[in-house]
Amino acid sequence: MKKILLVLLVASGIIVACKSSSNVNANSLTITMEPKSGSNVNGTATFTEKNGEVTLLAKLTGLTPGIHAIHIHEKSDCSAADGTSTGGHWNPTFKKHGKFGINEYHRGDIGNFTADVYGNATVFFKTKEWAIGGTDETKNIIGKGLIVHKDSDDFVTQPTGNAGSRVACSGIIK
């Protein structure tokens, strides 16, 4: 009986599709981090946009234990051995460097995270101030670079947060 019903539905042009709600309006991009400045830092970062909000989930290895900064930089160019080819922090709204969501901050000022005693870390960040593509260049992260720094961000020093050398880099490109 089920086979007959399916044949009748297909024959009559009725198509039923099921879609998981977790994929509705989702756009995702995974990038691979490469070591810089003589480090051994590796990992991946996945950006997922859903319903106007972008989530960053980065999984990193090879870090020194302790606190590190992570930022989005102006360019996707990771060709320099020290990662400086990515330029400065992504700052399309021309604000002072600071802590994301508090007073003034760059759109690329993600903040700090902690690597465990084995040098592993997971970074989770969520914002409505980014987009994976689109026409609003003050939100579009495509063509930018993701940088992991050796040290923590002090959220004060202009324009870098005194976060130290760049130990991992990846272009945010499709």
Side-chain angles (χ1 to χ4, degrees):
M1 183 68 166
K2 289 180 184 179
K3 289 180 183 179
I4 294 171
L5 181 59
L6 178 61
V7 171
L8 287 173
L9 289 172
V10 171
S12 63
I14 298 173
I15 298 174
V16 177
C18 296
K19 191 172 191 179
S20 169
S21 62
S22 64
N23 293 326
V24 176
N25 298 322
N27 182 15
S28 187
L29 173 66
T30 298
I31 58 176
T32 301
M33 304 300 292
E34 62 181 82
K36 293 293 171 186
S37 303
S39 82
N40 294 313
V41 179
N42 287 289
T44 60
T46 301
F47 295 91
T48 304
E49 183 174 10
K50 182 178 175 186
N51 300 325
E53 187 168 60
V54 175
T55 300
L56 164 64
L57 178 61
K59 296 185 179 197
L60 304 163
T61 62
L63 293 154
T64 56
I67 302 173
H68 301 271
I70 185 168
H71 301 114
I72 293 179
H73 284 247
E74 300 170 311
K75 303 172 198 162
S76 62
D77 180 3
C78 291
S79 62
D82 63 359
T84 57
S85 50
T86 58
H89 294 180
W90 175 48
N91 186 17
T93 55
F94 308 102
K95 304 286 185 183
K96 290 180 181 177
H97 174 73
K99 192 169 188 175
F100 201 96
I102 300 173
N103 298 319
E104 287 195 46
Y105 55 93
H106 302 152
R107 289 268 166 99
D109 289 343
I110 299 169
N112 294 327
F113 65 92
T114 303
D116 66 19
V117 295
Y118 304 105
N120 301 317
T122 299
V123 178
F124 181 81
F125 186 80
K126 191 183 280 193
T127 181
K128 291 186 180 227
E129 295 189 41
W130 299 346
I132 302 174
T135 58
D136 185 347
E137 286 304 314
T138 67
K139 288 185 163 192
N140 184 5
I141 61 173
I142 299 298
K144 310 303 180 266
L146 186 64
I147 292 286
V148 174
H149 290 272
K150 179 183 175 207
D151 300 319
S152 63
D153 188 327
D154 66 14
F155 305 116
V156 177
T157 304
Q158 300 298 321
T160 64
N162 198 30
S165 62
R166 302 169 188 204
V167 295
C169 180
S170 183
I172 305 171
I173 49 178
K174 287 188 174 187

